[in-house]
Amino acid sequence: MRRCRPVTVALLALLATLALAPLARAQTTSVLPGTSGTLPGSVATTTVVPPTTAAPPPSTATIQTTATPQTGQAGTSTATPASDGPGSTNDSKLPVLLLAVLGAILLAAALAIVAARWWAYDPPWLVRTRHATAEAGWRTSAAWAEFRDWLRIGR
């Protein structure tokens, strides 16, 4: 009985990591500078962080400035969710889900291949194909060796 090769185990670990990575990344989002960070159909929340400044030089008078969020009437936020038009939906999770499903299918196929090799399952057509390609390789290498000898000896 054959043992699993370390390369096969490493390949399976890599495939499992790739299959699970999109799921982990789907939970985190980042906002680029200059964008609002709100998704269509979501409620906008505004958080303003005061800018950090160096310590003021020693003087007799210090001036403190703080940033305040822009608000509409009665202190409510005026941010509205962006819309692409009537009937638009947020499909940002669909590609991540499709990649996760594809990764799971590839992982299942890799596990099936490893299991078949582990228990030495060889269908008859695979045995015949392996023998035919090995013989074709042997014949090709013999023909190439004859050609090299013909070139080296000098026609």
Side-chain angles (χ1 to χ4, degrees):
M1 180 164 46
R2 293 177 58 169
R3 303 295 263 167
C4 252
R5 295 182 181 138
V7 174
T8 306
V9 174
L11 181 63
L12 284 176
L14 177 66
L15 287 174
T17 304
L18 291 176
L20 297 176
L23 293 176
R25 275 188 258 136
Q27 300 301 322
T28 61
T29 59
S30 62
V31 178
L32 297 174
T35 61
S36 66
T38 59
L39 298 173
S42 65
V43 177
T45 58
T46 305
T47 304
V48 177
V49 179
T52 58
T53 60
S59 66
T60 58
T62 59
I63 300 173
Q64 289 185 335
T65 60
T66 59
T68 57
Q70 295 180 357
T71 57
Q73 296 175 352
T76 60
S77 178
T78 59
T80 58
S83 177
D84 292 337
S88 66
T89 60
N90 185 6
D91 295 331
S92 64
K93 292 184 181 181
L94 182 64
V96 174
L97 182 63
L98 289 177
L99 284 174
V101 168
L102 179 66
I105 290 171
L106 288 175
L107 182 63
L111 288 175
I113 290 170
V114 167
R117 296 292 292 168
W118 180 264
W119 285 292
Y121 171 72
D122 282 336
W125 62 266
L126 185 60
V127 175
R128 290 190 305 267
T129 304
R130 188 179 306 129
H131 179 75
T133 54
E135 185 173 346
W138 177 76
R139 288 178 183 263
T140 303
S141 68
W144 184 252
E146 284 292 324
F147 179 68
R148 279 193 335 233
D149 288 343
W150 177 76
L151 283 177
R152 189 176 16 187
I153 294 175
R155 299 176 191 98

